Amino acid sequence: MALVATRSASSLKELASPSTLSSSSSLSSPPPSPVVSKAVLAAANWKRILDEPEEEPSSGRIVSSILTAAAKLMVPNFKELTVRVHARVDQLLLGRIASMYIAGRDWATNLGLTVREMVIAVPQEARVSYMKLLSGTVQLTETVQGWAVGVFNSQDFSNFLVYPPLVAVAPKLPDGSPITFVRDGVHIDLENDRVCFKAWVYEEELDFEAVMPSAAASPSPSPCDNDDSNSDSRSQTSGSDASQGSLEGSNESTVDTEEANYLPYVKATTESEHSAAAASVLTDFFQNLQMTLAGVDLRFQSVALDFRPGIDGQKEPVVRVNLSANILRVPNPMTDPF
């Protein structure tokens, strides 16, 4: 399915003229990266992408302007939204884009998904239809691999748990009964490396903890006290201190290899005859979570807890989720709920 945006193709035709092509070597663009095998490795650059948006050649701006218009329809509320496309004129004529990404802060989508920070990146070559570009449309001609990083505070993660596309793949007990997440039950406990949440199991509202692997060997602390400001003692190295490089060549970044399998397990903190079974189902759910969102297949790769600057400079505990992205098509804001 194509993404249609109201944009004239005259500037693209201009760039394709012989006089422009003769100088296209000045539009430097790094070579495409190899296929992303692990989203975690590529996503080491998410913070740099947010903080230091790269310049793009003028030919890339033609594509990014179309994608920006579409993104603003899908994310009507945001503090920052940046699209970058790297492609020389000669590449576009062949329907090739060297790399691209969409990034921003404080997003709120039409369906209620909210994030503090988000990066969606395609660090390798993507194939698009040049003829469609001439009509102001970006259409992939083949599937492309990428990665994504989302940073959620406690309210964001609450919204995520009741986000309609997630509800559509919500976990079920062996007898088929659904486990229903509670919107306002999330607390991020950085001191003990866990995220507390609530869910309905049959007719009971139960408390659960998604425990990070780093906390698995520690003595079990008391249940969460729902105070998100308690965790200044925790080391602040899990997110923003990751190795940072440019978008291209991101597979070469150094990342703690343990994070490649950094997915939580779930335990119940409410005593119930259903607690153990529900915790097992929820562990499997989060460790294998995948969903298709607006033409993009997303799968959890790692989860980490961290701080970020909050209101008035206060430290805010957040959940950072790294995902692999198999991009089937460019999302269409007219038909894809987001």
Side-chain angles (χ1 to χ4, degrees):
M1 184 179 295
L3 166 62
V4 179
T6 56
R7 174 168 177 88
S8 169
S10 60
S11 55
L12 185 59
K13 292 175 181 175
E14 239 176 65
L15 283 168
S17 67
S19 60
T20 307
L21 284 174
S22 64
S23 61
S24 64
S25 59
S26 64
L27 301 177
S28 60
S29 178
S33 298
V35 173
V36 178
S37 58
K38 290 186 178 179
V40 176
L41 296 178
N45 302 292
W46 71 278
K47 195 66 175 175
R48 182 184 179 91
I49 288 173
L50 273 169
D51 293 340
E52 302 176 23
E54 299 175 351
E55 291 299 319
E56 62 184 349
S58 56
S59 49
R61 293 189 198 110
I62 295 168
V63 182
S64 65
S65 64
I66 300 172
L67 295 177
T68 297
K72 288 180 177 180
L73 290 174
M74 302 186 78
V75 185
N77 298 299
F78 59 87
K79 181 178 179 180
E80 297 176 15
L81 195 157
T82 302
V83 180
R84 290 288 186 271
V85 175
H86 287 270
R88 300 188 309 270
V89 177
D90 56 326
Q91 290 175 314
L92 282 180
L93 289 173
L94 296 173
R96 295 176 177 176
I97 292 174
S99 63
M100 57 184 170
Y101 67 79
I102 300 174
R105 289 185 169 91
D106 297 341
W107 286 9
T109 74
N110 292 309
L111 291 184
L113 179 67
T114 59
V115 292
R116 294 312 90 203
E117 298 172 325
M118 175 66 76
V119 175
I120 305 166
V122 179
Q124 67 186 70
E125 183 177 272
R127 300 292 184 92
V128 298
S129 167
Y130 175 69
M131 296 306 296
K132 293 291 185 180
L133 283 178
L134 291 177
S135 63
T137 302
V138 179
Q139 179 178 339
L140 292 177
T141 58
E142 59 185 43
T143 299
V144 63
Q145 301 296 316
W147 54 265
V149 173
V151 177
F152 304 82
N153 64 18
S154 58
Q155 186 58 57
D156 297 330
F157 204 74
S158 294
N159 295 337
F160 173 68
L161 291 179
V162 296
Y163 182 49
L166 183 71
V167 172
V169 296
K172 297 182 184 296
L173 294 163
D175 66 359
S177 299
I179 296 177
T180 305
F181 295 112
V182 177
R183 177 188 291 275
D184 297 318
V186 171
H187 162 60
I188 302 171
D189 180 2
L190 274 75
E191 186 174 3
N192 297 302
D193 264 347
R194 60 197 66 212
V195 178
C196 303
F197 63 95
K198 299 176 183 291
W200 285 97
V201 180
Y202 297 112
E203 299 298 319
E204 296 181 284
E205 184 180 273
L206 305 182
D207 294 314
F208 297 93
E209 295 177 344
V211 183
M212 302 300 115
S214 61
S218 304
S220 184
S222 58
C224 293
D225 59 9
N226 293 321
D227 179 7
D228 274 351
S229 63
N230 66 347
S231 304
D232 285 1
S233 62
R234 187 181 183 274
S235 169
Q236 300 177 44
T237 59
S238 61
S240 58
D241 291 341
S243 171
Q244 297 175 1
S246 65
L247 175 62
E248 289 75 26
S250 56
N251 286 348
E252 298 174 2
S253 300
T254 302
V255 182
D256 185 350
T257 54
E258 291 183 2
E259 193 178 8
N261 295 309
Y262 207 77
L263 290 166
Y265 75 91
V266 175
K267 70 175 186 177
T269 57
T270 302
E271 291 188 8
S272 166
E273 63 178 307
H274 310 301
S275 295
S280 176
V281 169
L282 286 167
T283 294
D284 182 71
F285 175 73
F286 283 114
Q287 292 189 352
N288 296 283
L289 180 58
Q290 53 185 325
M291 58 184 179
T292 299
L293 183 59
V296 180
D297 285 342
L298 297 168
R299 180 164 185 155
F300 270 34
Q301 294 291 323
S302 71
V303 178
L305 306 186
D306 203 353
F307 285 108
R308 74 181 293 275
I311 299 174
D312 298 327
Q314 297 296 312
K315 296 173 182 176
E316 180 181 38
V318 291
V319 180
R320 175 169 54 86
V321 180
N322 292 346
L323 308 104
S324 61
N326 186 33
I327 302 168
L328 309 176
R329 58 181 174 80
V330 175
N332 188 329
M334 299 296 104
T335 58
D336 289 322
F338 183 68

